Amino acid sequence: MEGKTKDYLQKYDQPKNFFNRELSWIAFNNRVLEEACNPGNPLLERVKFLSIFHSNLDEFYMIRISGIKEQIEANVAEVRIDGLTPQKELEKIEDVLEPILEKIVDYWHNSLVPELRENNIDITHYSGLEHREKEILNHYFEKYLFPNLTPLAIDPGRPFPFIRNLALSIGIIIKNPKGELHFARVKVPDNIPRLIRIDTLLNESRKTYKGNGYIKVIWVEDLIIANLKRLFPGMKIVEAKTFRITRDTDIEIQEDEADDLLKVIEENIKQRRFGNVVRMEIEEGVSDSLLDVLSTHLELDEHDIHRVKAPIGLSKVIELYGLPFHHLKDKPFIHKVPKIFEEEGDIFSAIRQRDIFLHHPYHSFSPVIDFIRQAAEDPDVLTIKQTLYRVGTNSPIIKHLMDAADSKKQVAVLVELKARFDEENNIFWARALEKVGAHVVYGLIGLKTHGKMTLVVRREGSELRRYVHLSTGNYNSSTAKMYTDFGLFTCNDDICSDVSDIFNFLTGYSNQKEFKKLLVAPVNMRQRLVHLIEREIANARAGKKGRIILKTNSVVDPQIISVLYEASCAGVEIDLIVRGICSLVPGKKGLSGNIRVRSIVGRFLEHHRVFYFYNNGAEDVFISSADLMQRNLSGRVEVATPILSPEIKSYLIKNVLNLALADNVTARILDENMNYFFRPVIDGEEKINYQQKLIELH
């Protein structure tokens, strides 16, 4: 099958047939920005989207831009599948990003800030405050900020200080009594809120303010700059500008040379903060002298410097989301628990009756936690095996696994140490589990384990029965409230057997090539997906109906894209629901005329993956942890699970796939020029918001 896939790629391997991955990602983040600018969203939800946009962009520079710049420095001139060299790619990225960044600065200052003020959230400046407000803020500075600040000067005895990734700093030019100019840097503390509530401080000092419901805030760096003379007594402050640097944070691990992967990753995490600087954002209006000091010591050229209208680092506006203005947010809803769990006190009894499906966040995550808890407490449970990718901080699941190990059950956990930006947290939990006697595996050499699986072995009479939970998302109770994901409980013998084989592969040595039900990357998932697409091609060419619907986060893999082009040319009708990156060019005559691509960016992060194949009426539906990317299909352990229950299959087709395709409120359609536009509403047509419909359904 692999050979056929290569033939497809050879047939369609032309730059015009593939969108650039990075430019497609920028288009996705621009859709996030559009949600921040959408007046139909509640005000604080727009603030949240603005924060997400900036957090996404920071990570893009830390990982993707840093990688491109490394290639340029290494003189890599190889043309990518989309026809761009690294240098050309970087130039296009900068050209596309520039107007987007200008737009967001204008929107923040001229739209969001005034609208927040109209809704009693006043983001103001120190210079415009009343005397009593300055007085109380200066007191706050003396009590909480001054002891926490360290002015760092530069001279022959005091070298240029190390500046941490994404740390906000103030670059200062001071003049001493002799008239000599010097540079200093003050780091803005990141252990205090970035936005200071003046109304709260005034209430604490028993002074009255404008009244209940009016909130006034100031950026902490504004307060620090207003009090710089306290840090440099007897000196004249000539200039003070905020700046922030972004470093290369992509960890490169030589796994095959590592004796102890945990120690190697710990060391690499320490080195991450010393990565090369790939961007410096600095407040506009900065003098040449201050800019020269920073660019020289940080080894930056003009292309690495971004002049920004303050404030810098707008991801921190998420702090506003915690304000008690519920009328400015989406209406809350109750995360439901399927009735079967309420009717059956014993979760294993419920699973024995039928496969049970969870659709988060519409369904509560509590049954997943209860599954692990009951397994830990049940004296008949002998073994619990689980994969953990991103579990969060105060994880109840980890606690129950530790309780199980402490009670002498066999607990085997694969904790993926290479989960980017979660390495430290995962190291902490790996050690905690080891201390109570759990068998902990850190991952496989050359592969990340991204599949989400739990296997419970239980003694029932004279036999052992296996129970499985398979998920498209992480075992993380916090993200389960914000991400859309699927979970499946089953005791199907074939699926449980496959999951057992996967765990044997993860914890021991195995060359398993065949699985009864599951598609498993990197073993057979790519080949099986190609086979399923080829089956639709054969049916279409035989005059039968060919139909494919794929819902995923990203479509990047050139081989999968090529076989989808072949399917389109054969007459197969294809709909792709792709939240993020899409390198496939849709709607192009003679190539992809039968392929339509849409993206849904809404209240929740669309995270689950569904693969649908018509199969001449005997519909096949899979849920999966894998996106259609090279890294997922070839460089990770991933699982796609067939849906065997007719009821669950019907739910997925009707209330996920078809409903998403009917969305005419949040869905954007991708055209062959990589432009996204909202699906037009036909006169008299009902407005359908996919996520809102699901809230109402549940």
Side-chain angles (χ1 to χ4, degrees), residues 249 571 643:
T249 59
I643 298 301

Side-chain angles (χ1 to χ4, degrees), residues 515-534:
F515 294 92
K516 297 173 182 176
K517 295 293 184 193
L518 302 183
L519 313 187
V520 181
V523 181
N524 71 344
M525 186 180 289
R526 180 191 296 279
Q527 293 88 339
R528 291 282 293 124
L529 287 174
V530 170
H531 169 72
L532 291 165
I533 297 170
E534 286 181 329

Side-chain angles (χ1 to χ4, degrees), residues 44 47-48 51 189-197 217-220 313-324 329:
L44 288 180
V47 169
K48 181 183 74 175
S51 171
D190 50 17
N191 55 1
I192 60 172
R194 180 81 184 275
L195 287 161
I196 303 170
R197 281 185 60 176
V217 299
I218 184 175
W219 294 99
V220 66
L314 278 173
S315 60
K316 294 297 183 181
V317 296
I318 194 63
E319 292 178 14
L320 295 174
Y321 195 78
L323 295 175
K329 303 177 187 178

Side-chain angles (χ1 to χ4, degrees), residues 47-65:
V47 169
K48 181 183 74 175
F49 278 114
L50 183 75
S51 171
I52 293 170
F53 171 91
H54 281 278
S55 295
N56 289 347
L57 191 63
D58 287 342
E59 186 171 331
F60 181 67
Y61 271 91
M62 289 187 284
I63 304 299
R64 304 303 303 181
I65 296 294

